[in-house]
Amino acid sequence: DADVTQTPRNRITKTGKRIMLECSQTKGHDRMYWYRQDPGLGLQLIYYSFDVKDINKGEISDGYSVSRQAQAKFSLSLESAIPNQTALYFCATSDSRPGTDTQYFGPGTRLTVL
Amino acid sequence: DQQVKQNSPSLSVQEGRISILNCDYTNSMFDYFLWYKKYPAEGPTFLISISSIKDKNEDGRFTVFLNKSAKHLSLHIVPSQPGDSAVYFCAASARYGGSQGNLIFGKGTKLSVKP
C-alpha cells in the first residue's frame, strides 16, 4: 500500500464550486505539505503543517485553505474554484527529526476548473 | 526571483551514455540539496541528496556533485537507461535558515534516454 495517498486522483469542476482535496499518510511523519504544479513552473508550496496545531502559508496560498484533521490527514480546500487553479496538486510528508528534510510525495490530483 | 534554477528544460541522451543534469542556486543559506524524479501521472520520488559539507554523493548509477563556490550542483547518471526517462527536479533547503527546512524546487528538466 502507498505511504501517501491522495483523493480524488482526478476532478473536473466548475468555476465557483467548493472543492476539497484529501491527503492521508501512513509514514508517521509530523510534517505535511501541499504543492501545485503548473506546466513549466515546477512545484510551488501552497501550505505546510509541522504538526496538527501548526499551519503555515506557503508562497501561493491565496484562494486556498487547509485543515490538519489529524497527524495523518491534511486536506486542501478551494472555497470558490477559478480556472487558473487548474493544475496538478501534490501532497507530501517529511519527518521532523533534524537532518531528515526529504519529502515523500503522493501520486497527485489533477484538477480542472471549467 | 528564482532561487533554484534548472536552465535546461529538456535533455536527450543515448542509452548507455552519461546524462548530466544541472542546477544553479542563488541563496547562500541553502545547505541541503535533493534530486527528485517524476514520471507522468505519478508524484515526484526522492532520488539522491547531498549536504553542503560534502562535494559528492554517490548511489549506484547516480552521483550528485556540489560546487558551493559556484552555487552549482549536477546529477550524473551513468550509464543512462530508457527507464531513466522522466522529469528531474532539483530542490534545496536552508535547514538552519529562515525557510524552516522547506524545499525550494527548480522547474525541472525532462530527460529522454533513447535506445
Side-chain angles (χ1 to χ4, degrees):
Chain A
D1 288 339
D3 294 319
V4 185
T5 57
Q6 293 183 236
T7 56
R9 292 295 313 278
N10 288 282
R11 182 71 184 268
I12 300 173
T13 191
K14 295 182 178 180
T15 297
K17 293 290 187 181
R18 184 178 188 274
I19 295 297
M20 180 180 285
L21 309 183
E22 299 189 352
C23 177
S24 294
Q25 54 115 345
T26 58
K27 298 185 77 66
H29 288 167
D30 292 323
R31 299 183 174 191
M32 298 187 74
Y33 309 80
W34 275 104
Y35 291 89
R36 67 177 276 175
Q37 185 192 9
D38 296 279
L41 287 183
L43 291 156
Q44 296 175 280
L45 184 62
I46 307 172
Y47 269 95
Y48 61 101
S49 170
F50 283 175
D51 66 38
V52 174
K53 297 181 180 179
D54 181 13
I55 292 179
N56 305 278
K57 293 182 178 180
E59 51 188 312
I60 55 162
S61 59
D62 287 348
Y64 301 95
S65 62
V66 291
S67 174
R68 185 84 183 265
Q69 301 95 325
Q71 187 203 36
K73 296 185 182 294
F74 192 35
S75 59
L76 175 72
S77 294
L78 289 68
E79 296 302 325
S80 179
I82 56 177
N84 77 359
Q85 290 177 314
T86 293
L88 272 171
Y89 290 85
F90 292 102
C91 173
T93 74
S94 70
D95 202 329
S96 59
R97 287 174 297 169
T100 57
D101 293 350
T102 303
Q103 293 182 16
Y104 299 88
F105 286 80
T109 294
R110 182 174 294 279
L111 177 65
T112 303
V113 183
L114 302 176
Chain B
D1 190 27
Q2 267 191 283
Q3 297 185 67
V4 178
K5 300 178 184 179
Q6 294 178 257
N7 292 319
S8 299
S10 63
L11 175 68
S12 183
V13 172
Q14 205 69 31
E15 181 179 5
R17 298 291 185 103
I18 184 172
S19 295
I20 300 176
L21 296 95
N22 293 304
C23 179
D24 297 294
Y25 62 96
T26 58
N27 189 341
S28 57
M29 295 295 290
F30 288 149
D31 55 9
Y32 190 64
F33 304 89
L34 308 89
W35 285 94
Y36 282 83
K37 178 168 73 173
K38 185 185 180 304
Y39 293 119
E42 296 183 12
T45 56
F46 169 71
L47 190 58
I48 192 169
S49 63
I50 187 166
S51 165
S52 60
I53 62 173
K54 295 185 176 181
D55 55 17
K56 176 182 174 182
N57 189 26
E58 198 170 351
D59 184 1
R61 296 185 298 113
F62 302 91
T63 302
V64 57
F65 295 92
L66 175 63
N67 181 335
K68 284 177 289 185
S69 60
K71 293 190 177 69
H72 176 84
L73 65 154
S74 60
L75 174 68
H76 293 211
I77 307 174
V78 183
S80 301
Q81 299 172 355
D84 296 328
S85 296
V87 176
Y88 289 78
F89 291 100
C90 171
S93 75
R95 291 175 160 179
Y96 305 105
S99 67
Q100 300 176 289
N102 286 340
L103 298 181
I104 308 297
F105 285 85
K107 293 184 178 182
T109 296
K110 184 176 182 179
L111 173 66
S112 299
V113 180
K114 301 188 182 306

